Amino acid sequence: MKINQIRQDQPLIICLTNDVVKNFTANGLLALGASPAMATEVEELEDFIKHAGAVLINIGSITKESIPSMEKAAEAANKWGVPVVLDPVACSATAFRKNFCLKLIEQYKISVIRGNASEIKGLIEETTMKGTDSDLSLDTVAIAKAAGEQLKTAIVVTGEHDAIYAQGKTKQLSNGTAMLTKVTGGGCLLGAIVSAFIYNEVEPTLDDLVEAVSYYNIAAEKAESLDNGTLPGHFQINLLDMLNSTDENDVAKNMRVEEVR
């Protein structure tokens, strides 16, 4: 498993993420044991990225002004063999967001795309969504497989049941809690956690992606079970604590995963 290795190596994770979640994302990565940097300046991105373990590009606060930084980050990551995780936040809500994501996927090597079911479906079909909300009735397994085969990259889809496609296989994960939808940045932080778990892996393994999502969801389950864990404020703090204390034994014992066709 990867958790102990992350805590030993403390990989640098460059996060170009949205303004709402920067603090939460940084604290979540620190709780895991990784080293976050919220670098966005075009002139310094390559200097950071050539020493990084992974790059997260989250388009939650995308603007015309921020696009050059995201493109430079992807370019530098590809140059230096650093994996890129794309979080296409609300990509089906506007043509501006969707067109940028598709351009990024076409022009650069993206190691993993992580999003909710509506977001991932929106990358491969003509569909719309309201803001960042996802349709919980969607089939995450079918979407993960279709997106992975069409976009030629690993896919992490979150929903009532999460699904992961990588290396030609798809797995369904059943850990987690609805409390993750009650705090800002629950999904965005997962994108950063996935980035940490695939550090130095441009072609991530299915096992590492399953461990990343299972670790995060098991920590969330533990956070909910603590005192006042069903209250959003307490849950958010509890989650940071449980990300710090959840170990490989917890994941191996509690992960609920099955391979699907």
Side-chain angles (χ1 to χ4, degrees), residues 72-248:
K72 179 63 178 180
E75 176 190 337
N78 286 181
K79 175 181 177 180
W80 292 97
V82 176
V84 177
V85 174
L86 172 63
D87 194 330
V89 179
C91 66
S92 298
T94 70
F96 175 66
R97 288 171 179 266
K98 181 172 181 175
N99 290 340
F100 173 72
C101 288
L102 293 178
K103 177 184 177 183
L104 207 66
I105 293 165
E106 179 181 351
Q107 294 188 352
Y108 302 101
K109 169 64 178 177
I110 305 297
S111 295
V112 181
I113 303 173
R114 187 232 70 90
N116 65 42
S118 294
E119 290 164 343
I120 301 301
K121 183 179 180 183
L123 290 175
I124 59 172
E125 297 181 14
E126 289 299 326
T127 185
T128 59
M129 62 187 296
K130 181 187 73 175
T132 60
D133 293 341
S134 182
D135 182 350
L136 294 179
S137 70
L138 294 175
D139 184 340
T140 55
V141 169
I143 291 169
K145 184 177 180 181
E149 291 176 348
Q150 182 172 326
L151 301 175
K152 309 300 183 186
T153 190
I155 305 290
V156 175
V157 183
T158 55
E160 185 173 353
H161 295 280
D162 302 330
I164 299 174
Y165 174 91
Q167 300 177 301
K169 298 180 180 179
T170 309
K171 290 193 175 184
Q172 178 175 280
L173 289 69
S174 299
N175 292 103
T177 166
M179 285 304 300
L180 285 168
T181 66
K182 304 300 182 183
V183 297
T184 298
C188 297
L189 175 53
L190 176 57
I193 296 296
V194 167
S195 302
F197 271 81
I198 68 162
Y199 77 99
N200 296 342
E201 295 181 22
V202 175
E203 298 290 345
T205 67
L206 180 58
D207 286 345
D208 283 347
L209 293 172
V210 167
E211 185 184 356
V213 177
S214 296
Y215 157 79
Y216 186 71
N217 284 337
I218 289 166
E221 290 173 349
K222 292 166 63 178
E224 183 184 30
S225 72
L226 297 177
D227 289 346
N228 296 317
T230 57
L231 298 175
H234 289 272
F235 173 78
Q236 186 178 51
I237 299 302
N238 290 348
L239 178 59
L240 295 176
D241 290 342
M242 293 303 99
L243 288 170
N244 186 252
S245 66
T246 297
D247 59 23
E248 292 182 352

